[in-house]
Amino acid sequence: MKNKSYISTVIANWKMHNDFNAALDLVIKIFSYSNMAKNVEKIICPPAVNIIPLYDQFKNSTFSLGAQNINENNEGTYTGEISVNMLKNYITHAIIGHSERREIFNESNYTISLKAKALLSNKIVPVICVGEPLEIYKKNRSVEFINNQLFEILSKIQTNSEILIAYEPIWSIGNKNPADPVYVEKIITKSKDFLSTIRPIRNVNHKFLYGGSVNSKNVLDYTKQQNIDGVLVGSASLDASEFGKIVLQISNNG
Ligand code: PGA
């Protein structure tokens, strides 16, 4: 087991799956498998509409609730959007900058930076997603690409609060093509070094997670790496027994 001064984190990103009844059922099952798991920080991010109705279940559990996205503004004429203000009493974390939001909803690093600021000023931990598309990976330019994302999102943020960063190579997402753990470790190590050069946040407590086709068979290949501080799980988090196994393995083996 690696020597770490903090515990690993596992985040479930349900994406646009599960109506309320299915979400409640899944939460109850996940808790029955892994609510007792120690030494692992556990966060579930259901669709926004399910956050408040599920809140009471989470209050009596060892899991935290998170959002999958938030709007960067406090309130206003933004049809269909949800502000941090509306969720801040129910969530501890919010994923921002997921590649699906960047690609489908045209979110830029600038917008993601504003979202991070809005979260931090409301004491919610941002889970900032970064990661390169396939063509950048093939050209061996991943480090440069990710450093640019980190710089554009974080260089204007003044904070002492915790942030989480999820490295999710876009080509690895979708439960088909998990990235090589040694490659991920290399990228995350370089990104951590780069982060320490971004002046306003260089002393901030941060964790770097990996996301992309993580399942119960490969999770420890990632979390046993020295610099990978946890995982962000999509498809496999929709299956209670599979997600439970992921949580328990991290709990037992780091
Ligand atoms: P996946 O999704 O685990 O299904 O690859 C991960 C993510 O998109 O966060």
Short mmCIF file of all heavy atoms in Angstrom, two decimals, residues 91-156:
data_model
loop_
_atom_site.label_atom_id
_atom_site.label_comp_id
_atom_site.label_asym_id
_atom_site.label_seq_id
_atom_site.Cartn_x
_atom_site.Cartn_y
_atom_site.Cartn_z
N ILE A 91 -25.06 19.97 -1.14
CA ILE A 91 -23.91 19.29 -1.75
C ILE A 91 -22.60 19.73 -1.09
O ILE A 91 -22.52 20.82 -0.50
CB ILE A 91 -23.80 19.56 -3.27
CG1 ILE A 91 -23.68 21.08 -3.56
CG2 ILE A 91 -24.98 18.95 -4.02
CD1 ILE A 91 -23.36 21.42 -5.01
N THR A 92 -21.59 18.86 -1.21
CA THR A 92 -20.24 19.22 -0.74
C THR A 92 -19.31 19.44 -1.93
O THR A 92 -18.29 20.10 -1.79
CB THR A 92 -19.65 18.08 0.12
OG1 THR A 92 -19.72 16.87 -0.64
CG2 THR A 92 -20.43 17.92 1.42
N HIS A 93 -19.63 18.85 -3.07
CA HIS A 93 -18.76 18.87 -4.25
C HIS A 93 -19.59 19.15 -5.51
O HIS A 93 -20.79 18.86 -5.53
CB HIS A 93 -18.07 17.51 -4.46
CG HIS A 93 -17.09 17.16 -3.38
ND1 HIS A 93 -17.49 16.79 -2.11
CD2 HIS A 93 -15.73 17.10 -3.39
CE1 HIS A 93 -16.42 16.54 -1.38
NE2 HIS A 93 -15.34 16.72 -2.12
N ALA A 94 -18.93 19.64 -6.55
CA ALA A 94 -19.59 19.72 -7.86
C ALA A 94 -18.55 19.49 -8.95
O ALA A 94 -17.47 20.10 -8.95
CB ALA A 94 -20.26 21.07 -8.06
N ILE A 95 -18.90 18.59 -9.87
CA ILE A 95 -18.05 18.35 -11.04
C ILE A 95 -18.24 19.54 -11.98
O ILE A 95 -19.36 19.99 -12.20
CB ILE A 95 -18.50 17.05 -11.77
CG1 ILE A 95 -18.36 15.84 -10.85
CG2 ILE A 95 -17.72 16.86 -13.06
CD1 ILE A 95 -19.00 14.56 -11.41
N ILE A 96 -17.14 20.06 -12.50
CA ILE A 96 -17.25 21.09 -13.54
C ILE A 96 -16.26 20.79 -14.66
O ILE A 96 -15.23 20.15 -14.44
CB ILE A 96 -17.01 22.52 -12.98
CG1 ILE A 96 -15.71 22.61 -12.19
CG2 ILE A 96 -18.20 22.98 -12.13
CD1 ILE A 96 -15.37 24.03 -11.73
N GLY A 97 -16.62 21.21 -15.87
CA GLY A 97 -15.71 21.05 -17.00
C GLY A 97 -15.58 19.64 -17.52
O GLY A 97 -14.58 19.30 -18.17
N HIS A 98 -16.58 18.80 -17.27
CA HIS A 98 -16.53 17.45 -17.85
C HIS A 98 -16.44 17.58 -19.38
O HIS A 98 -17.03 18.49 -19.96
CB HIS A 98 -17.78 16.66 -17.44
CG HIS A 98 -17.67 15.21 -17.78
ND1 HIS A 98 -17.86 14.74 -19.05
CD2 HIS A 98 -17.36 14.13 -17.02
CE1 HIS A 98 -17.67 13.43 -19.06
NE2 HIS A 98 -17.37 13.03 -17.85
N SER A 99 -15.74 16.64 -20.00
CA SER A 99 -15.54 16.77 -21.46
C SER A 99 -16.86 16.75 -22.22
O SER A 99 -16.97 17.34 -23.29
CB SER A 99 -14.60 15.68 -21.97
OG SER A 99 -15.14 14.41 -21.67
N GLU A 100 -17.88 16.08 -21.65
CA GLU A 100 -19.19 16.11 -22.33
C GLU A 100 -19.77 17.52 -22.30
O GLU A 100 -20.42 17.96 -23.25
CB GLU A 100 -20.13 15.08 -21.67
CG GLU A 100 -19.74 13.66 -22.06
CD GLU A 100 -20.10 12.59 -21.04
OE1 GLU A 100 -20.90 12.85 -20.13
OE2 GLU A 100 -19.55 11.47 -21.16
N ARG A 101 -19.55 18.25 -21.23
CA ARG A 101 -20.04 19.64 -21.16
C ARG A 101 -19.21 20.54 -22.09
O ARG A 101 -19.72 21.45 -22.71
CB ARG A 101 -20.01 20.16 -19.73
CG ARG A 101 -20.97 19.37 -18.84
CD ARG A 101 -21.74 20.25 -17.91
NE ARG A 101 -22.39 21.35 -18.55
CZ ARG A 101 -23.68 21.36 -18.93
NH1 ARG A 101 -24.45 20.31 -18.75
NH2 ARG A 101 -24.20 22.43 -19.48
N ARG A 102 -17.93 20.25 -22.16
CA ARG A 102 -17.10 21.06 -23.06
C ARG A 102 -17.50 20.81 -24.52
O ARG A 102 -17.65 21.73 -25.30
CB ARG A 102 -15.62 20.69 -22.89
CG ARG A 102 -15.01 21.08 -21.55
CD ARG A 102 -13.62 20.47 -21.46
NE ARG A 102 -12.94 20.66 -20.19
CZ ARG A 102 -12.07 21.64 -19.93
NH1 ARG A 102 -11.80 22.54 -20.84
NH2 ARG A 102 -11.47 21.72 -18.76
N GLU A 103 -17.70 19.51 -24.87
CA GLU A 103 -17.93 19.18 -26.27
C GLU A 103 -19.36 19.44 -26.71
O GLU A 103 -19.60 19.95 -27.79
CB GLU A 103 -17.58 17.70 -26.51
CG GLU A 103 -16.09 17.46 -26.49
CD GLU A 103 -15.71 16.03 -26.83
OE1 GLU A 103 -16.58 15.14 -26.74
OE2 GLU A 103 -14.54 15.82 -27.17
N ILE A 104 -20.34 19.06 -25.86
CA ILE A 104 -21.74 19.15 -26.29
C ILE A 104 -22.31 20.54 -25.99
O ILE A 104 -23.11 21.06 -26.74
CB ILE A 104 -22.60 18.06 -25.61
CG1 ILE A 104 -21.99 16.68 -25.86
CG2 ILE A 104 -24.05 18.11 -26.11
CD1 ILE A 104 -22.57 15.55 -25.01
N PHE A 105 -21.86 21.14 -24.88
CA PHE A 105 -22.45 22.42 -24.47
C PHE A 105 -21.45 23.58 -24.60
O PHE A 105 -21.69 24.66 -24.05
CB PHE A 105 -22.99 22.31 -23.04
CG PHE A 105 -24.01 21.22 -22.89
CD1 PHE A 105 -23.68 19.98 -22.37
CD2 PHE A 105 -25.33 21.42 -23.31
CE1 PHE A 105 -24.62 18.96 -22.26
CE2 PHE A 105 -26.28 20.41 -23.21
CZ PHE A 105 -25.92 19.17 -22.68
N ASN A 106 -20.38 23.33 -25.32
CA ASN A 106 -19.41 24.38 -25.67
C ASN A 106 -18.83 25.14 -24.48
O ASN A 106 -18.60 26.34 -24.57
CB ASN A 106 -20.04 25.40 -26.63
CG ASN A 106 -20.38 24.75 -27.94
OD1 ASN A 106 -19.61 23.93 -28.43
ND2 ASN A 106 -21.54 25.08 -28.48
N GLU A 107 -18.62 24.49 -23.38
CA GLU A 107 -18.04 25.20 -22.23
C GLU A 107 -16.54 25.41 -22.43
O GLU A 107 -15.82 24.50 -22.84
CB GLU A 107 -18.29 24.42 -20.94
CG GLU A 107 -19.73 24.50 -20.52
CD GLU A 107 -19.98 23.88 -19.15
OE1 GLU A 107 -19.03 23.49 -18.45
OE2 GLU A 107 -21.17 23.79 -18.79
N SER A 108 -16.10 26.62 -22.12
CA SER A 108 -14.68 26.96 -22.30
C SER A 108 -13.95 26.92 -20.96
O SER A 108 -14.58 26.91 -19.90
CB SER A 108 -14.56 28.38 -22.86
OG SER A 108 -15.07 29.28 -21.89
N ASN A 109 -12.63 26.96 -21.02
CA ASN A 109 -11.85 27.02 -19.78
C ASN A 109 -12.24 28.26 -18.99
O ASN A 109 -12.25 28.23 -17.75
CB ASN A 109 -10.35 27.06 -20.10
CG ASN A 109 -9.85 25.73 -20.61
OD1 ASN A 109 -10.39 24.68 -20.24
ND2 ASN A 109 -8.83 25.76 -21.45
N TYR A 110 -12.55 29.35 -19.69
CA TYR A 110 -12.93 30.59 -19.00
C TYR A 110 -14.21 30.37 -18.18
O TYR A 110 -14.28 30.71 -17.00
CB TYR A 110 -13.13 31.72 -20.03
CG TYR A 110 -13.64 32.99 -19.41
CD1 TYR A 110 -12.83 33.73 -18.55
CD2 TYR A 110 -14.93 33.44 -19.68
CE1 TYR A 110 -13.30 34.90 -17.95
CE2 TYR A 110 -15.41 34.61 -19.09
CZ TYR A 110 -14.58 35.33 -18.23
OH TYR A 110 -15.06 36.47 -17.64
N THR A 111 -15.23 29.77 -18.80
CA THR A 111 -16.48 29.49 -18.07
C THR A 111 -16.23 28.56 -16.89
O THR A 111 -16.77 28.75 -15.80
CB THR A 111 -17.51 28.80 -19.01
OG1 THR A 111 -17.54 29.51 -20.22
CG2 THR A 111 -18.88 28.73 -18.40
N ILE A 112 -15.38 27.57 -17.12
CA ILE A 112 -15.11 26.60 -16.05
C ILE A 112 -14.40 27.29 -14.88
O ILE A 112 -14.66 27.01 -13.72
CB ILE A 112 -14.30 25.41 -16.62
CG1 ILE A 112 -15.15 24.68 -17.68
CG2 ILE A 112 -13.89 24.44 -15.52
CD1 ILE A 112 -14.37 23.84 -18.65
N SER A 113 -13.54 28.24 -15.21
CA SER A 113 -12.87 29.02 -14.17
C SER A 113 -13.90 29.81 -13.34
O SER A 113 -13.82 29.86 -12.11
CB SER A 113 -11.87 29.97 -14.84
OG SER A 113 -11.22 30.72 -13.87
N LEU A 114 -14.88 30.40 -14.02
CA LEU A 114 -15.93 31.15 -13.29
C LEU A 114 -16.75 30.21 -12.40
O LEU A 114 -17.14 30.55 -11.28
CB LEU A 114 -16.87 31.87 -14.27
CG LEU A 114 -16.24 32.96 -15.14
CD1 LEU A 114 -17.29 33.57 -16.07
CD2 LEU A 114 -15.60 34.06 -14.28
N LYS A 115 -16.99 29.01 -12.90
CA LYS A 115 -17.74 28.02 -12.10
C LYS A 115 -16.93 27.63 -10.86
O LYS A 115 -17.49 27.49 -9.77
CB LYS A 115 -18.03 26.76 -12.94
CG LYS A 115 -19.08 27.00 -14.02
CD LYS A 115 -19.27 25.75 -14.86
CE LYS A 115 -20.12 26.04 -16.08
NZ LYS A 115 -21.36 25.33 -16.15
N ALA A 116 -15.63 27.44 -11.05
CA ALA A 116 -14.77 27.09 -9.90
C ALA A 116 -14.83 28.20 -8.85
O ALA A 116 -14.96 27.94 -7.65
CB ALA A 116 -13.34 26.86 -10.37
N LYS A 117 -14.75 29.45 -9.31
CA LYS A 117 -14.81 30.59 -8.37
C LYS A 117 -16.13 30.60 -7.62
O LYS A 117 -16.17 30.81 -6.41
CB LYS A 117 -14.68 31.91 -9.14
CG LYS A 117 -13.28 32.36 -9.32
CD LYS A 117 -13.26 33.77 -9.89
CE LYS A 117 -11.94 33.97 -10.61
NZ LYS A 117 -11.95 34.95 -11.64
N ALA A 118 -17.23 30.40 -8.36
CA ALA A 118 -18.56 30.42 -7.72
C ALA A 118 -18.66 29.32 -6.66
O ALA A 118 -19.19 29.54 -5.57
CB ALA A 118 -19.65 30.23 -8.79
N LEU A 119 -18.13 28.16 -6.96
CA LEU A 119 -18.17 27.06 -5.99
C LEU A 119 -17.33 27.38 -4.77
O LEU A 119 -17.78 27.24 -3.63
CB LEU A 119 -17.68 25.76 -6.64
CG LEU A 119 -18.65 25.15 -7.65
CD1 LEU A 119 -17.95 24.10 -8.50
CD2 LEU A 119 -19.86 24.54 -6.95
N LEU A 120 -16.10 27.81 -5.01
CA LEU A 120 -15.19 28.08 -3.89
C LEU A 120 -15.73 29.17 -2.98
O LEU A 120 -15.60 29.10 -1.76
CB LEU A 120 -13.80 28.44 -4.42
CG LEU A 120 -13.04 27.26 -5.03
CD1 LEU A 120 -11.89 27.73 -5.90
CD2 LEU A 120 -12.53 26.33 -3.92
N SER A 121 -16.38 30.17 -3.58
CA SER A 121 -16.88 31.25 -2.72
C SER A 121 -18.10 30.80 -1.92
O SER A 121 -18.49 31.44 -0.96
CB SER A 121 -17.16 32.53 -3.52
OG SER A 121 -18.16 32.27 -4.44
N ASN A 122 -18.67 29.66 -2.28
CA ASN A 122 -19.77 29.08 -1.49
C ASN A 122 -19.33 27.86 -0.69
O ASN A 122 -20.15 27.08 -0.21
CB ASN A 122 -20.93 28.69 -2.41
CG ASN A 122 -21.74 29.90 -2.83
OD1 ASN A 122 -22.50 30.44 -2.04
ND2 ASN A 122 -21.57 30.34 -4.07
N LYS A 123 -18.00 27.68 -0.60
CA LYS A 123 -17.42 26.59 0.20
C LYS A 123 -17.81 25.19 -0.30
O LYS A 123 -17.95 24.23 0.46
CB LYS A 123 -17.77 26.73 1.68
CG LYS A 123 -17.34 28.07 2.26
CD LYS A 123 -17.15 28.00 3.74
CE LYS A 123 -16.55 29.22 4.38
NZ LYS A 123 -15.96 30.24 3.52
N ILE A 124 -18.01 25.07 -1.60
CA ILE A 124 -18.23 23.77 -2.23
C ILE A 124 -16.94 23.40 -2.97
O ILE A 124 -16.34 24.24 -3.64
CB ILE A 124 -19.39 23.82 -3.25
CG1 ILE A 124 -20.66 24.41 -2.64
CG2 ILE A 124 -19.64 22.45 -3.87
CD1 ILE A 124 -21.27 23.61 -1.54
N VAL A 125 -16.53 22.14 -2.84
CA VAL A 125 -15.27 21.72 -3.48
C VAL A 125 -15.51 21.49 -4.98
O VAL A 125 -16.33 20.64 -5.35
CB VAL A 125 -14.75 20.40 -2.85
CG1 VAL A 125 -13.44 19.97 -3.50
CG2 VAL A 125 -14.59 20.55 -1.35
N PRO A 126 -14.77 22.20 -5.84
CA PRO A 126 -14.91 21.92 -7.28
C PRO A 126 -14.13 20.67 -7.67
O PRO A 126 -13.01 20.45 -7.19
CB PRO A 126 -14.29 23.16 -7.95
CG PRO A 126 -13.44 23.82 -6.93
CD PRO A 126 -13.85 23.31 -5.57
N VAL A 127 -14.73 19.86 -8.52
CA VAL A 127 -14.03 18.71 -9.11
C VAL A 127 -13.82 19.09 -10.57
O VAL A 127 -14.75 19.01 -11.39
CB VAL A 127 -14.88 17.42 -9.01
CG1 VAL A 127 -14.12 16.24 -9.59
CG2 VAL A 127 -15.30 17.17 -7.56
N ILE A 128 -12.63 19.57 -10.87
CA ILE A 128 -12.38 20.17 -12.19
C ILE A 128 -11.85 19.11 -13.14
O ILE A 128 -10.79 18.51 -12.90
CB ILE A 128 -11.34 21.31 -12.05
CG1 ILE A 128 -11.84 22.36 -11.04
CG2 ILE A 128 -11.04 21.93 -13.40
CD1 ILE A 128 -10.79 23.37 -10.62
N CYS A 129 -12.59 18.87 -14.23
CA CYS A 129 -12.17 17.83 -15.18
C CYS A 129 -11.27 18.43 -16.25
O CYS A 129 -11.57 19.50 -16.82
CB CYS A 129 -13.37 17.20 -15.86
SG CYS A 129 -14.47 16.35 -14.73
N VAL A 130 -10.18 17.74 -16.53
CA VAL A 130 -9.29 18.09 -17.63
C VAL A 130 -8.98 16.80 -18.39
O VAL A 130 -9.19 15.71 -17.87
CB VAL A 130 -7.97 18.74 -17.14
CG1 VAL A 130 -8.24 20.06 -16.43
CG2 VAL A 130 -7.19 17.80 -16.21
N GLY A 131 -8.47 16.94 -19.60
CA GLY A 131 -8.11 15.73 -20.36
C GLY A 131 -8.07 16.02 -21.84
O GLY A 131 -8.80 16.88 -22.33
N GLU A 132 -7.22 15.25 -22.53
CA GLU A 132 -6.95 15.55 -23.93
C GLU A 132 -7.78 14.67 -24.87
O GLU A 132 -8.09 13.52 -24.55
CB GLU A 132 -5.45 15.35 -24.23
CG GLU A 132 -4.99 13.91 -24.40
CD GLU A 132 -4.83 13.15 -23.08
OE1 GLU A 132 -5.18 13.68 -22.02
OE2 GLU A 132 -4.36 12.00 -23.13
N PRO A 133 -8.11 15.20 -26.07
CA PRO A 133 -8.75 14.35 -27.09
C PRO A 133 -7.72 13.41 -27.73
O PRO A 133 -6.51 13.59 -27.56
CB PRO A 133 -9.27 15.36 -28.11
CG PRO A 133 -8.46 16.59 -27.92
CD PRO A 133 -7.95 16.59 -26.51
N LEU A 134 -8.24 12.44 -28.48
CA LEU A 134 -7.38 11.41 -29.07
C LEU A 134 -6.28 11.97 -29.96
O LEU A 134 -5.13 11.52 -29.89
CB LEU A 134 -8.26 10.43 -29.86
CG LEU A 134 -7.56 9.20 -30.40
CD1 LEU A 134 -6.96 8.37 -29.28
CD2 LEU A 134 -8.55 8.34 -31.21
N GLU A 135 -6.60 12.98 -30.77
CA GLU A 135 -5.57 13.46 -31.72
C GLU A 135 -4.39 14.10 -30.98
O GLU A 135 -3.25 13.98 -31.41
CB GLU A 135 -6.16 14.39 -32.79
CG GLU A 135 -6.85 15.64 -32.34
CD GLU A 135 -8.32 15.47 -31.98
OE1 GLU A 135 -8.77 14.33 -31.72
OE2 GLU A 135 -9.02 16.50 -31.90
N ILE A 136 -4.66 14.73 -29.84
CA ILE A 136 -3.57 15.32 -29.04
C ILE A 136 -2.74 14.21 -28.39
O ILE A 136 -1.51 14.25 -28.37
CB ILE A 136 -4.17 16.26 -27.96
CG1 ILE A 136 -4.91 17.44 -28.60
CG2 ILE A 136 -3.10 16.73 -26.97
CD1 ILE A 136 -4.03 18.46 -29.27
N TYR A 137 -3.42 13.18 -27.91
CA TYR A 137 -2.74 12.03 -27.31
C TYR A 137 -1.80 11.38 -28.34
O TYR A 137 -0.64 11.09 -28.05
CB TYR A 137 -3.80 11.03 -26.83
CG TYR A 137 -3.27 9.69 -26.39
CD1 TYR A 137 -2.56 9.56 -25.20
CD2 TYR A 137 -3.51 8.54 -27.15
CE1 TYR A 137 -2.09 8.33 -24.78
CE2 TYR A 137 -3.05 7.31 -26.74
CZ TYR A 137 -2.33 7.21 -25.56
OH TYR A 137 -1.87 5.98 -25.15
N LYS A 138 -2.33 11.21 -29.56
CA LYS A 138 -1.52 10.56 -30.61
C LYS A 138 -0.30 11.39 -30.98
O LYS A 138 0.73 10.86 -31.38
CB LYS A 138 -2.38 10.33 -31.85
CG LYS A 138 -3.29 9.12 -31.71
CD LYS A 138 -3.99 8.86 -33.03
CE LYS A 138 -4.88 7.66 -32.97
NZ LYS A 138 -5.93 7.72 -34.01
N LYS A 139 -0.45 12.71 -30.87
CA LYS A 139 0.70 13.59 -31.21
C LYS A 139 1.64 13.76 -30.02
O LYS A 139 2.55 14.58 -30.09
CB LYS A 139 0.18 14.96 -31.63
CG LYS A 139 -0.41 15.01 -33.01
CD LYS A 139 -0.82 16.44 -33.34
CE LYS A 139 -1.67 16.47 -34.59
NZ LYS A 139 -2.62 17.57 -34.60
N ASN A 140 1.36 13.07 -28.93
CA ASN A 140 2.23 13.17 -27.75
C ASN A 140 2.24 14.57 -27.13
O ASN A 140 3.27 15.02 -26.64
CB ASN A 140 3.66 12.82 -28.16
CG ASN A 140 4.15 11.65 -27.39
OD1 ASN A 140 3.71 11.43 -26.26
ND2 ASN A 140 5.07 10.90 -27.99
N ARG A 141 1.10 15.24 -27.21
CA ARG A 141 1.07 16.61 -26.69
C ARG A 141 0.11 16.76 -25.51
O ARG A 141 -0.39 17.85 -25.20
CB ARG A 141 0.69 17.57 -27.83
CG ARG A 141 1.85 17.74 -28.81
CD ARG A 141 1.58 18.72 -29.92
NE ARG A 141 0.76 19.82 -29.50
CZ ARG A 141 -0.16 20.41 -30.27
NH1 ARG A 141 -0.36 19.98 -31.50
NH2 ARG A 141 -0.86 21.42 -29.82
N SER A 142 -0.12 15.63 -24.80
CA SER A 142 -1.10 15.65 -23.70
C SER A 142 -0.69 16.60 -22.58
O SER A 142 -1.52 17.36 -22.09
CB SER A 142 -1.27 14.24 -23.13
OG SER A 142 -1.61 13.35 -24.14
N VAL A 143 0.57 16.55 -22.19
CA VAL A 143 1.00 17.35 -21.03
C VAL A 143 0.78 18.84 -21.30
O VAL A 143 0.19 19.56 -20.48
CB VAL A 143 2.49 17.06 -20.69
CG1 VAL A 143 3.01 18.03 -19.64
CG2 VAL A 143 2.64 15.63 -20.22
N GLU A 144 1.21 19.27 -22.47
CA GLU A 144 1.05 20.68 -22.87
C GLU A 144 -0.44 21.06 -22.87
O GLU A 144 -0.83 22.11 -22.36
CB GLU A 144 1.65 20.75 -24.27
CG GLU A 144 1.65 22.04 -24.97
CD GLU A 144 2.10 21.77 -26.44
OE1 GLU A 144 2.87 20.82 -26.70
OE2 GLU A 144 1.64 22.54 -27.31
N PHE A 145 -1.27 20.19 -23.40
CA PHE A 145 -2.72 20.45 -23.50
C PHE A 145 -3.35 20.58 -22.12
O PHE A 145 -4.10 21.51 -21.84
CB PHE A 145 -3.37 19.29 -24.28
CG PHE A 145 -4.82 19.50 -24.59
CD1 PHE A 145 -5.22 20.14 -25.76
CD2 PHE A 145 -5.81 19.06 -23.71
CE1 PHE A 145 -6.57 20.34 -26.04
CE2 PHE A 145 -7.16 19.26 -23.98
CZ PHE A 145 -7.53 19.90 -25.16
N ILE A 146 -3.00 19.67 -21.24
CA ILE A 146 -3.60 19.67 -19.89
C ILE A 146 -3.07 20.86 -19.07
O ILE A 146 -3.83 21.52 -18.35
CB ILE A 146 -3.31 18.33 -19.18
CG1 ILE A 146 -4.03 17.22 -19.93
CG2 ILE A 146 -3.76 18.36 -17.72
CD1 ILE A 146 -3.39 15.88 -19.77
N ASN A 147 -1.78 21.15 -19.20
CA ASN A 147 -1.24 22.30 -18.48
C ASN A 147 -1.95 23.58 -18.90
O ASN A 147 -2.23 24.45 -18.07
CB ASN A 147 0.27 22.45 -18.74
CG ASN A 147 1.07 21.40 -17.98
OD1 ASN A 147 0.50 20.64 -17.21
ND2 ASN A 147 2.36 21.36 -18.21
N ASN A 148 -2.26 23.68 -20.18
CA ASN A 148 -2.98 24.88 -20.65
C ASN A 148 -4.38 24.95 -20.03
O ASN A 148 -4.83 26.01 -19.59
CB ASN A 148 -3.05 24.87 -22.18
CG ASN A 148 -3.75 26.10 -22.69
OD1 ASN A 148 -3.31 27.22 -22.42
ND2 ASN A 148 -4.88 25.92 -23.36
N GLN A 149 -5.05 23.80 -19.97
CA GLN A 149 -6.38 23.79 -19.32
C GLN A 149 -6.26 24.21 -17.86
O GLN A 149 -7.01 25.07 -17.38
CB GLN A 149 -7.00 22.39 -19.39
CG GLN A 149 -7.44 21.97 -20.78
CD GLN A 149 -8.08 20.58 -20.77
OE1 GLN A 149 -7.62 19.67 -20.09
NE2 GLN A 149 -9.14 20.42 -21.53
N LEU A 150 -5.28 23.65 -17.17
CA LEU A 150 -5.11 23.97 -15.74
C LEU A 150 -4.80 25.45 -15.56
O LEU A 150 -5.37 26.12 -14.68
CB LEU A 150 -3.98 23.13 -15.13
CG LEU A 150 -4.27 21.64 -14.97
CD1 LEU A 150 -3.00 20.89 -14.56
CD2 LEU A 150 -5.37 21.41 -13.94
N PHE A 151 -3.94 25.98 -16.42
CA PHE A 151 -3.55 27.39 -16.27
C PHE A 151 -4.75 28.30 -16.53
O PHE A 151 -5.03 29.21 -15.75
CB PHE A 151 -2.41 27.72 -17.24
CG PHE A 151 -1.88 29.10 -17.01
CD1 PHE A 151 -0.99 29.34 -15.97
CD2 PHE A 151 -2.29 30.17 -17.79
CE1 PHE A 151 -0.51 30.62 -15.72
CE2 PHE A 151 -1.83 31.45 -17.55
CZ PHE A 151 -0.93 31.68 -16.51
N GLU A 152 -5.47 28.03 -17.62
CA GLU A 152 -6.60 28.91 -17.94
C GLU A 152 -7.71 28.83 -16.89
O GLU A 152 -8.40 29.80 -16.64
CB GLU A 152 -7.15 28.57 -19.34
CG GLU A 152 -6.17 28.97 -20.42
CD GLU A 152 -6.77 28.95 -21.82
OE1 GLU A 152 -7.93 28.55 -21.97
OE2 GLU A 152 -6.06 29.34 -22.76
N ILE A 153 -7.87 27.69 -16.27
CA ILE A 153 -8.95 27.57 -15.27
C ILE A 153 -8.49 28.11 -13.91
O ILE A 153 -9.27 28.78 -13.23
CB ILE A 153 -9.39 26.08 -15.13
CG1 ILE A 153 -10.00 25.60 -16.44
CG2 ILE A 153 -10.39 25.91 -13.98
CD1 ILE A 153 -10.21 24.09 -16.52
N LEU A 154 -7.24 27.89 -13.55
CA LEU A 154 -6.85 28.14 -12.15
C LEU A 154 -5.99 29.37 -11.90
O LEU A 154 -5.87 29.81 -10.76
CB LEU A 154 -6.12 26.91 -11.61
CG LEU A 154 -7.00 25.66 -11.47
CD1 LEU A 154 -6.15 24.43 -11.19
CD2 LEU A 154 -8.02 25.86 -10.35
N SER A 155 -5.43 29.97 -12.95
CA SER A 155 -4.43 31.02 -12.68
C SER A 155 -5.04 32.30 -12.12
O SER A 155 -4.32 33.12 -11.57
CB SER A 155 -3.62 31.32 -13.94
OG SER A 155 -4.49 31.75 -14.95
N LYS A 156 -6.34 32.48 -12.24
CA LYS A 156 -6.93 33.71 -11.69
C LYS A 156 -7.75 33.43 -10.42
O LYS A 156 -8.53 34.28 -9.99
CB LYS A 156 -7.80 34.38 -12.75
CG LYS A 156 -6.98 34.86 -13.93
CD LYS A 156 -7.68 35.93 -14.73
CE LYS A 156 -6.79 36.46 -15.83
NZ LYS A 156 -6.44 35.41 -16.82
#
